Amino acid sequence: MDRPRTGTDLRAIAQPSLSPVLGRYFERSWSHGAGHRLFDTDGQSYLDFANGIAVSALGHGHPAVNRAIHEQVDRLIVPTGAIGYAEPVVRLASELAATFPDPLDTVMFLNSGSEAIEAALKLARRATGRAGIVAFRGGFHGRTFGAASVTSSALNYRIGYEPLLPGVHLLPFPAVYRDFEGDEDRATATCLAALEELARTVLPADGIASILVEPVQGEGGYYPAPAAFLQGLRRFADEQGIVLIADEVQTGYGRTGRMWAFEAAGIVPDVVCVAKAIANGLPLSAIVSRRELQERWGRSAHGSTYGGNPVSCAAGLAVLATIQAEKLVENAAARGAELTRGLQAMAAEDPRIGDIRGPGLMIGIEFVTDRATKAPAGDLVNALVAGCADTGLLVLSCGRDHNIVRMIPPLDVTPDEVGEALGMLDRTLASLN
Ligand SMILES: Cc1ncc(COP(=O)(O)O)c(C=O)c1O
């Protein structure tokens, strides 16, 4: 579709009225998106490996998703949750539930990742009658009070908001590369021991309602949790009657080369939080658990005016159908492996790259000033992210020290686009020598 180049610098309009609290990676003015490209108001095109932070998993203006949205807009927009049922909502609940292993079969819709976290924490407290919440350092779960209380990926999410939710205990996360010299077994043993220690000395296990974990830490630095760590959490939760919550807001929907990242560890959480890719950009999120748990939660114990609006759910049905019909989980695994191989070749030539880690299309490239000390190279990454955008590639950073570049291409990215992105990243990195 041809669009006019308006050349408008939207910052000038934003400046007097749009809140300064919003952080931005770029100060660019966006016009439109088409497929895997974003276009700025000067008509420049950018290969989008950021996707609104893993949201537009099928790229921009996907025909099946847009068609579903248009048709539903003409039929019914208003959320019907409080007065009954609407077809896209009930159908998405059933089709989303079908993507999970037993016994996860029951879906509650909300609007954002943070709301899904809030709902999961409330469900766990009400269903267990316990107050304690265990989460992990470096985790990011959102910005509402409950979600911020379990977030520790950066101080800025917490300071000035205390007191946060009481009863939260933040334990070390097995960030294998950064904190454990690449020793996965030691990372796992140390972090599971910290949980045992908590239960022995601070909070008895029968006071813990939930353990909340990202299967791959996202904003904190794209650190995958070792499978044995997730298995250990599952075991502990089973023994102690604790609700294990997986935050799959960023990792879910095929991003890691599996439909759900927890599958790689061969475990099944009690509650899964889902958002971001679920409706390719429209606001929608969900928690998924076994029915009995949500029955224990109790009728009207939680709710949401907009959660599960029919338009977002219609988009969600098109997203799921496309992922399945086009085998996009498999594509994420295959393209992720190609991208990782290309990055490893780059790392072989460039000591500023300390680590490259997946899984799938959730790839973190950690930059250091010295491989031995692993001192974070945040300035380099800021320059690299900016330089890539100038070259026509959108990537983002993450991690407390902003020294990790994350690549989160659309799930239907092609081998050519993987090659194109690698070329742009390589050229930009070389220019920063
Ligand atoms: C793992 C994870 N959980 C929760 C959230 C919060 O989601 P939202 O910004 O939609 O509230 C995010 C957002 O980046 C996330 O990455």
Side-chain angles (χ1 to χ4, degrees), residues 57 68 73 83 105 133 176 254 266 331 342 359 369 371 385 395 424:
V73 163
I83 57 166
D105 59 1
I133 298 169
V176 175
N331 192 61
T369 55
R371 276 189 178 161
V385 168
V395 291
M424 285 193 273

PDB file of all heavy atoms in Angstrom, residues 57 68 73 83 105 133 176 254 266 331 342 359 369 371 385 395 424:
ATOM      1  N   ALA A  57       4.200 -10.602  16.493  1.00  0.00           N
ATOM      2  CA  ALA A  57       4.917 -11.841  16.154  1.00  0.00           C
ATOM      3  C   ALA A  57       4.684 -12.250  14.706  1.00  0.00           C
ATOM      4  O   ALA A  57       5.446 -13.032  14.153  1.00  0.00           O
ATOM      5  CB  ALA A  57       4.491 -12.960  17.087  1.00  0.00           C
ATOM      6  N   ALA A  68      -9.603 -10.420  10.180  1.00  0.00           N
ATOM      7  CA  ALA A  68     -10.378 -10.836  11.357  1.00  0.00           C
ATOM      8  C   ALA A  68     -10.778  -9.618  12.194  1.00  0.00           C
ATOM      9  O   ALA A  68     -11.910  -9.529  12.694  1.00  0.00           O
ATOM     10  CB  ALA A  68      -9.556 -11.814  12.198  1.00  0.00           C
ATOM     11  N   VAL A  73     -14.875  -5.827  14.061  1.00  0.00           N
ATOM     12  CA  VAL A  73     -15.226  -4.433  14.369  1.00  0.00           C
ATOM     13  C   VAL A  73     -16.640  -4.137  13.869  1.00  0.00           C
ATOM     14  O   VAL A  73     -17.431  -3.463  14.538  1.00  0.00           O
ATOM     15  CB  VAL A  73     -14.209  -3.462  13.718  1.00  0.00           C
ATOM     16  CG1 VAL A  73     -14.758  -2.042  13.657  1.00  0.00           C
ATOM     17  CG2 VAL A  73     -12.894  -3.479  14.491  1.00  0.00           C
ATOM     18  N   ILE A  83     -21.875  -9.647  30.816  1.00  0.00           N
ATOM     19  CA  ILE A  83     -23.291  -9.903  30.519  1.00  0.00           C
ATOM     20  C   ILE A  83     -23.526 -11.221  29.795  1.00  0.00           C
ATOM     21  O   ILE A  83     -24.679 -11.596  29.548  1.00  0.00           O
ATOM     22  CB  ILE A  83     -23.914  -8.745  29.682  1.00  0.00           C
ATOM     23  CG1 ILE A  83     -23.140  -8.543  28.382  1.00  0.00           C
ATOM     24  CG2 ILE A  83     -23.990  -7.454  30.497  1.00  0.00           C
ATOM     25  CD1 ILE A  83     -23.871  -7.682  27.358  1.00  0.00           C
ATOM     26  N   ASP A 105      -6.358 -26.144  31.240  1.00  0.00           N
ATOM     27  CA  ASP A 105      -7.514 -26.170  30.337  1.00  0.00           C
ATOM     28  C   ASP A 105      -8.432 -24.960  30.478  1.00  0.00           C
ATOM     29  O   ASP A 105      -9.458 -24.880  29.803  1.00  0.00           O
ATOM     30  CB  ASP A 105      -8.322 -27.458  30.563  1.00  0.00           C
ATOM     31  CG  ASP A 105      -8.823 -27.580  32.000  1.00  0.00           C
ATOM     32  OD1 ASP A 105      -8.571 -26.673  32.824  1.00  0.00           O
ATOM     33  OD2 ASP A 105      -9.478 -28.601  32.313  1.00  0.00           O
ATOM     34  N   ILE A 133       5.019 -14.872  48.409  1.00  0.00           N
ATOM     35  CA  ILE A 133       5.268 -14.907  46.957  1.00  0.00           C
ATOM     36  C   ILE A 133       6.781 -14.947  46.757  1.00  0.00           C
ATOM     37  O   ILE A 133       7.492 -14.077  47.267  1.00  0.00           O
ATOM     38  CB  ILE A 133       4.695 -13.654  46.272  1.00  0.00           C
ATOM     39  CG1 ILE A 133       3.167 -13.596  46.451  1.00  0.00           C
ATOM     40  CG2 ILE A 133       5.086 -13.609  44.790  1.00  0.00           C
ATOM     41  CD1 ILE A 133       2.554 -12.259  46.049  1.00  0.00           C
ATOM     42  N   VAL A 176      23.336 -17.994  34.110  1.00  0.00           N
ATOM     43  CA  VAL A 176      24.496 -18.880  34.043  1.00  0.00           C
ATOM     44  C   VAL A 176      25.748 -18.159  33.552  1.00  0.00           C
ATOM     45  O   VAL A 176      26.817 -18.282  34.144  1.00  0.00           O
ATOM     46  CB  VAL A 176      24.172 -20.102  33.144  1.00  0.00           C
ATOM     47  CG1 VAL A 176      25.403 -20.980  32.957  1.00  0.00           C
ATOM     48  CG2 VAL A 176      23.023 -20.903  33.743  1.00  0.00           C
ATOM     49  N   GLY A 254       5.514 -19.498  20.746  1.00  0.00           N
ATOM     50  CA  GLY A 254       6.477 -19.944  19.737  1.00  0.00           C
ATOM     51  C   GLY A 254       7.791 -19.196  19.742  1.00  0.00           C
ATOM     52  O   GLY A 254       8.729 -19.566  19.029  1.00  0.00           O
ATOM     53  N   GLY A 266      10.327 -29.869  30.256  1.00  0.00           N
ATOM     54  CA  GLY A 266       9.491 -31.043  30.530  1.00  0.00           C
ATOM     55  C   GLY A 266       8.647 -30.889  31.786  1.00  0.00           C
ATOM     56  O   GLY A 266       8.318 -31.876  32.445  1.00  0.00           O
ATOM     57  N   ASN A 331       9.347 -22.779  12.415  1.00  0.00           N
ATOM     58  CA  ASN A 331      10.133 -21.753  11.723  1.00  0.00           C
ATOM     59  C   ASN A 331      10.986 -20.964  12.722  1.00  0.00           C
ATOM     60  O   ASN A 331      12.147 -20.651  12.445  1.00  0.00           O
ATOM     61  CB  ASN A 331       9.218 -20.786  10.950  1.00  0.00           C
ATOM     62  CG  ASN A 331      10.007 -19.901  10.001  1.00  0.00           C
ATOM     63  OD1 ASN A 331      10.674 -20.386   9.088  1.00  0.00           O
ATOM     64  ND2 ASN A 331       9.982 -18.594  10.245  1.00  0.00           N
ATOM     65  N   GLY A 342      24.992 -17.486  12.766  1.00  0.00           N
ATOM     66  CA  GLY A 342      25.598 -16.280  12.188  1.00  0.00           C
ATOM     67  C   GLY A 342      26.228 -15.407  13.260  1.00  0.00           C
ATOM     68  O   GLY A 342      27.324 -14.858  13.075  1.00  0.00           O
ATOM     69  N   PRO A 359      16.790 -19.302  23.629  1.00  0.00           N
ATOM     70  CA  PRO A 359      16.468 -20.229  22.547  1.00  0.00           C
ATOM     71  C   PRO A 359      15.591 -19.586  21.469  1.00  0.00           C
ATOM     72  O   PRO A 359      14.981 -18.550  21.697  1.00  0.00           O
ATOM     73  CB  PRO A 359      15.678 -21.321  23.277  1.00  0.00           C
ATOM     74  CG  PRO A 359      15.026 -20.603  24.430  1.00  0.00           C
ATOM     75  CD  PRO A 359      15.940 -19.466  24.800  1.00  0.00           C
ATOM     76  N   THR A 369      33.359  -5.399  27.873  1.00  0.00           N
ATOM     77  CA  THR A 369      34.586  -4.685  27.509  1.00  0.00           C
ATOM     78  C   THR A 369      35.790  -5.625  27.599  1.00  0.00           C
ATOM     79  O   THR A 369      36.852  -5.334  27.061  1.00  0.00           O
ATOM     80  CB  THR A 369      34.825  -3.462  28.417  1.00  0.00           C
ATOM     81  OG1 THR A 369      34.818  -3.917  29.771  1.00  0.00           O
ATOM     82  CG2 THR A 369      33.736  -2.417  28.245  1.00  0.00           C
ATOM     83  N   ARG A 371      36.401 -10.058  28.011  1.00  0.00           N
ATOM     84  CA  ARG A 371      35.743 -11.362  28.192  1.00  0.00           C
ATOM     85  C   ARG A 371      36.053 -11.979  29.552  1.00  0.00           C
ATOM     86  O   ARG A 371      35.250 -12.741  30.091  1.00  0.00           O
ATOM     87  CB  ARG A 371      36.154 -12.322  27.081  1.00  0.00           C
ATOM     88  CG  ARG A 371      35.300 -12.130  25.839  1.00  0.00           C
ATOM     89  CD  ARG A 371      35.545 -13.219  24.820  1.00  0.00           C
ATOM     90  NE  ARG A 371      34.688 -13.027  23.663  1.00  0.00           N
ATOM     91  CZ  ARG A 371      34.897 -13.578  22.474  1.00  0.00           C
ATOM     92  NH1 ARG A 371      35.933 -14.346  22.269  1.00  0.00           N
ATOM     93  NH2 ARG A 371      34.057 -13.355  21.481  1.00  0.00           N
ATOM     94  N   VAL A 385      22.673  -0.147  18.970  1.00  0.00           N
ATOM     95  CA  VAL A 385      21.219  -0.116  18.724  1.00  0.00           C
ATOM     96  C   VAL A 385      20.871   1.110  17.871  1.00  0.00           C
ATOM     97  O   VAL A 385      20.118   1.019  16.896  1.00  0.00           O
ATOM     98  CB  VAL A 385      20.442  -0.125  20.063  1.00  0.00           C
ATOM     99  CG1 VAL A 385      18.973   0.199  19.860  1.00  0.00           C
ATOM    100  CG2 VAL A 385      20.602  -1.489  20.755  1.00  0.00           C
ATOM    101  N   VAL A 395      16.686  -3.222  16.426  1.00  0.00           N
ATOM    102  CA  VAL A 395      16.901  -4.176  17.517  1.00  0.00           C
ATOM    103  C   VAL A 395      16.862  -3.373  18.817  1.00  0.00           C
ATOM    104  O   VAL A 395      16.951  -2.144  18.788  1.00  0.00           O
ATOM    105  CB  VAL A 395      18.253  -4.935  17.403  1.00  0.00           C
ATOM    106  CG1 VAL A 395      18.247  -5.887  16.229  1.00  0.00           C
ATOM    107  CG2 VAL A 395      19.423  -3.959  17.298  1.00  0.00           C
ATOM    108  N   MET A 424      23.570  -6.304   8.450  1.00  0.00           N
ATOM    109  CA  MET A 424      23.451  -4.932   8.977  1.00  0.00           C
ATOM    110  C   MET A 424      24.087  -4.829  10.367  1.00  0.00           C
ATOM    111  O   MET A 424      24.770  -3.853  10.686  1.00  0.00           O
ATOM    112  CB  MET A 424      21.985  -4.499   9.008  1.00  0.00           C
ATOM    113  CG  MET A 424      21.457  -4.169   7.610  1.00  0.00           C
ATOM    114  SD  MET A 424      19.882  -3.301   7.625  1.00  0.00           S
ATOM    115  CE  MET A 424      18.753  -4.670   7.666  1.00  0.00           C
TER     116      MET A 424
END
